[in-house]
Amino acid sequence: MSLYGYTIKELENKLKKKEISAAELTEMSLDRIKECEEDVQAFITVDEEGARTQAAKLDELDESERQPLFAIPQAMKDNIVTKGIRTTAGSQILTNFNDPLYDATVVEKLQDAQSVMIGKANLDEFGMGSSTEKSSFHITRNPWNYDYVPGGSSGGSAAAVASGQVMFSLGSDTGGSIRQPAAFCGVVGMKPTYGLVSRYGLISLASSLDHVGPITQTVEDNARVLEVIAGNDSRDSTSANTQVPLYSEGLKEGIKGLKIAVPEEYLGEGVSEEVRESVLNALQMLELLGATWEKISVPHSTYAASAYYIISAAESSTSLARYDGVRFGARAKDAKTVEDMFKQSRSQGFGDEAKLRMMLGTFALSAGNVDTYFKKAQKVRTRIIEEFETIFSQYDLVIGPTTPRHAYKIGEIVDPVTSYANDILTIPSNLAGLPSISVPCGFTDEGLPLGLQIIGKHFDEQTVYQAAYAYEQATNHHKKRPVMGGQ
Amino acid sequence: MTQITKEQVERIADLVHLAVTDEEVAMYQEQLQSVINFANQLSELNTDDVKPTTHVLHEGNVLREDVPKQTITQEEALKNAPDQKDGYFKVPPILE
């Protein structure tokens, strides 16, 4: 038996019938890591001992005490703080951050739900990247083909699920960092509405754009994890005060009568033929299932990437100012003065991309530039938000591809602007805070997965999940598994 | 067109508290220039009378009673510190 091909609900039944124990499920996850982790390298830290201890405790519990994610093995992106377990954000500046003082709210919630955390997943440094090549520890490989990137920045989280090492993982998404790796790795990734999931304990990259969300094999599993981690949190002042429905119970409502908008820009220039075809096929399927769709235009969204990189760089230059070698994190040795210590610690601790973005952000916020760049970008952001408001007054969902093309080869993209432009389809949802999911919608001729992006109204995760579920159940893409080492 | 100069890169690096070599200055000059050129397309859009976004969802201020409470202990606060002495964070001299 392997973790592949089961849903959380099916494992729950097996656990109930005592066909498997929490300890056995944990061993399955750890065995799988031994089989393929040398190639995939999805993790920065594997907490074997912690996972085994937790599983043993769970096996002692009375059946009546079981919670929704009992014994389910999961991985946490390593920019989500875990008490007493090293949390690095993929950066050398936090390489010795071995003893975080508290658990992120999502970590607490997943613990209360009795899932078993197996380890901390790899990412581009502080989430700055789209390939996980910018982790300061090691690259992660795409389980479908080791020559390709898994996407990023939640590349470790997506690859760990796609290779059957864990049942689900959490990622974070500032400009597409859950959805893009989910698309590249053939799994389901959800970026919920801004504020639905607490960011307390998420190491911030750009606070107005950062989101936490689940990566899973199926839509149903995704809904089950989101309903556990969502909800108001007094420790995050941007947390929304809203009721969280049980998304997993409303999945089968169907999509009859739903009105879908398809931005022509999302299928235009720069989008590969294979991607376009897979999305048009998906739309045909959604039509068969009872929805209707129309092409629309989103002229402002084409400016989303430019606005995004200014805003996110400005915010990250602030977020990363706290790393100074004083209270935690790495400190350069032999500095003569405190000023010199700040500079040396930061220069040695941060990678090139982090440095570039801090400088860009500082430039965009500096006197003389703040109106031309930062404020201008925030005005364009307002325009993009209004554009979506108009669309959602007439339609229930916006659908397009998750990425303009399939995963690229390791080392293929080195130029920052080329990399930034590739995020054009996922960025608008971050700027507008809209719930957006990526579901598998086919494969290239070479066998690399493609993702369909479904975007909904604020706090309407339910309709997004219903459409994703209806589509998934009508297709077989999610049943295909990568052929890889150890199988 | 905004032109990024070497001096500007050096000044920004100083503001960000980064020590940069000559090669790095040249690299960041080129990269910043290309990202800023990319961002310059924003000027094509008319945004007169548009308010800049401050919050994507208007939740309003979140207030609580101003009651002090202990979140972490002094010992915990020092646990991950690179250097400490007598219950304080220790840093190199502030004045040379």
Side-chain angles (χ1 to χ4, degrees):
Chain A
M1 188 185 160
S2 81
L3 297 177
Y4 276 139
Y6 288 98
T7 62
I8 291 173
K9 200 200 250 163
E10 285 162 356
L11 289 178
E12 188 178 71
N13 286 333
K14 282 186 167 294
L15 286 153
K16 237 180 227 159
K17 288 193 216 144
K18 299 205 171 20
E19 288 172 28
I20 192 167
S21 67
E24 283 166 341
L25 207 47
T26 300
E27 289 312 318
M28 259 167 58
S29 169
L30 293 172
D31 285 348
R32 184 69 183 141
I33 289 173
K34 286 204 182 75
E35 274 173 15
C36 65
E37 184 58 2
E38 204 181 302
D39 295 319
V40 179
Q41 299 193 76
F43 287 93
I44 290 177
T45 304
V46 176
D47 184 20
E48 266 184 59
E49 204 188 313
R52 286 198 172 109
T53 310
Q54 161 82 345
K57 265 192 221 154
L58 291 177
D59 278 326
E60 298 287 305
L61 289 178
D62 193 81
E63 209 175 299
S64 63
E65 297 171 278
R66 287 187 184 180
Q67 295 301 313
L69 297 173
F70 177 80
I72 304 298
Q74 46 98 345
M76 198 65 64
K77 188 175 181 179
D78 205 22
N79 60 352
I80 298 173
V81 174
T82 43
K83 188 175 181 179
I85 299 169
R86 181 167 81 136
T87 302
T88 69
S91 180
Q92 286 307 310
I93 211 157
L94 285 175
T95 186
N96 295 321
F97 189 40
N98 294 323
D99 208 354
L101 300 180
Y102 62 89
D103 280 321
T105 299
V106 289
V107 172
E108 256 176 22
K109 283 178 178 255
L110 287 179
Q111 236 158 38
D112 292 347
Q114 298 174 345
S115 67
V116 174
M117 194 187 81
I118 300 292
K120 306 293 298 285
N122 198 17
L123 68 155
D124 292 295
E125 183 173 9
F126 287 105
M128 294 179 172
S130 315
S131 67
T132 318
E133 290 167 294
K134 296 199 188 307
S135 164
S136 76
F137 291 85
H138 51 76
I139 58 165
T140 296
R141 293 174 189 280
N142 191 317
W144 293 86
N145 188 326
Y146 294 153
D147 294 335
Y148 290 80
V149 301
S153 64
S154 312
S157 298
V161 173
S163 56
Q165 301 189 41
V166 288
M167 277 302 284
F168 73 91
S169 60
L170 293 193
S172 66
D173 189 317
T174 306
S177 284
I178 288 173
R179 291 159 287 155
Q180 184 254 26
F184 282 7
C185 290
V187 290
V188 181
M190 175 64 140
K191 180 203 85 66
T193 306
Y194 184 77
L196 183 73
V197 176
S198 168
R199 291 184 294 112
Y200 179 74
L202 169 70
I203 295 178
S204 58
L205 167 56
S207 296
S208 83
L209 300 158
D210 291 344
H211 301 69
V212 179
I215 297 176
T216 53
Q217 290 179 41
T218 64
V219 175
E220 183 188 308
D221 284 359
N222 206 283
R224 286 187 69 121
V225 178
L226 184 63
E227 66 201 23
V228 166
I229 61 170
N232 189 238
D233 181 11
S234 61
R235 294 173 295 187
D236 171 3
S237 66
T238 59
S239 167
N241 202 351
T242 181
Q243 281 298 316
V244 179
L246 285 176
Y247 305 115
S248 61
E249 287 179 9
L251 290 176
K252 291 170 185 161
E253 295 291 304
I255 56 165
K256 242 191 190 92
L258 280 190
K259 289 164 78 178
I260 298 167
V262 179
E264 58 187 14
E265 290 86 351
Y266 288 17
L267 294 170
E269 206 188 319
V271 175
S272 82
E273 198 44 51
E274 284 172 310
V275 166
R276 192 176 302 133
E277 207 174 295
S278 71
V279 170
L280 290 173
N281 286 340
L283 288 167
Q284 218 167 34
M285 178 60 79
L286 292 166
E287 215 174 318
L288 279 173
L289 294 166
T292 56
W293 65 276
E294 276 174 342
K295 275 204 177 173
I296 54 146
S297 179
V298 288
H300 292 101
S301 285
T302 50
Y303 295 89
S306 298
Y308 170 83
Y309 277 95
I310 293 294
I311 297 165
S312 68
E315 290 186 19
S316 59
S317 70
T318 312
S319 302
L320 300 186
R322 74 192 64 176
Y323 302 98
D324 56 7
V326 176
R327 292 151 303 151
F328 55 86
R331 175 187 292 190
K333 291 186 177 68
D334 306 325
K336 295 279 179 292
T337 65
V338 73
E339 184 77 20
D340 190 33
M341 189 274 283
F342 293 157
K343 272 196 174 172
Q344 294 306 328
S345 301
R346 290 167 62 79
S347 302
Q348 292 165 21
F350 288 123
D352 289 343
E353 183 69 26
K355 289 177 183 172
L356 174 66
R357 294 206 202 181
M358 286 191 287
M359 288 204 272
L360 174 64
T362 302
F363 169 83
L365 288 170
S366 60
N369 293 321
V370 68
D371 287 331
T372 321
Y373 292 101
F374 183 69
K375 279 194 189 146
K376 179 77 184 181
Q378 291 287 31
K379 286 179 177 182
V380 171
R381 183 179 189 180
T382 302
R383 277 287 182 83
I384 291 168
I385 294 170
E386 289 168 353
E387 196 165 79
F388 275 112
E389 275 169 7
T390 310
I391 297 169
F392 281 124
S393 67
Q394 298 165 60
Y395 299 91
D396 301 296
L397 296 168
V398 172
I399 290 186
T402 308
T403 58
R405 46 173 294 211
H406 59 76
Y408 44 91
K409 280 201 167 146
I410 290 166
E412 188 181 330
I413 295 183
V414 287
D415 168 48
V417 173
T418 309
S419 162
Y420 299 173
N422 270 325
D423 299 339
I424 184 73
L425 300 174
T426 45
I427 282 171
S429 300
N430 295 79
L431 290 172
L434 298 163
S436 307
I437 201 168
S438 179
V439 281
C441 70
F443 295 85
T444 66
D445 291 344
E446 303 156 89
L448 291 166
L450 299 171
L452 182 76
Q453 185 175 212
I454 305 174
I455 306 170
K457 296 173 188 172
H458 287 140
F459 300 111
D460 192 14
E461 276 75 7
Q462 189 70 76
T463 307
V464 173
Y465 275 134
Q466 280 164 5
Y469 183 77
Y471 172 72
E472 176 197 70
Q473 293 301 306
T475 56
N476 283 319
H477 309 308
H478 65 292
K479 290 182 185 153
K480 219 171 151 184
R481 303 291 162 213
V483 179
M484 47 186 288
Q487 276 185 326
Chain B
M1 264 318 200
T2 314
Q3 289 301 325
I4 305 292
T5 63
K6 277 197 162 55
E7 292 68 39
Q8 254 178 320
V9 175
E10 281 163 0
R11 198 178 69 89
I12 296 167
D14 192 54
L15 286 172
V16 185
H17 283 305
L18 289 174
V20 280
T21 62
D22 289 349
E23 293 89 71
E24 283 172 324
V25 170
M27 178 180 83
Y28 290 123
Q29 185 187 7
E30 193 192 318
Q31 290 185 346
L32 279 172
Q33 186 69 59
S34 77
V35 182
I36 285 159
N37 290 348
F38 178 59
N40 276 334
Q41 61 162 279
L42 293 176
S43 64
E44 294 166 14
L45 270 184
N46 183 340
T47 50
D48 296 347
D49 310 320
V50 178
K51 277 199 181 143
T53 300
T54 51
H55 292 86
V56 79
L57 285 153
H58 305 280
E59 287 284 326
N61 273 333
V62 181
L63 304 172
R64 60 167 169 78
E65 290 301 311
D66 187 15
V67 185
K69 62 176 180 186
Q70 177 143 30
T71 47
I72 54 169
T73 63
Q74 185 181 29
E75 197 187 331
E76 283 172 331
L78 290 164
K79 219 156 60 168
N80 289 289
D83 200 3
Q84 54 173 297
K85 195 183 175 188
D86 303 332
Y88 293 91
F89 298 110
K90 192 182 166 196
V91 295
I94 290 174
L95 298 171
E96 276 176 269

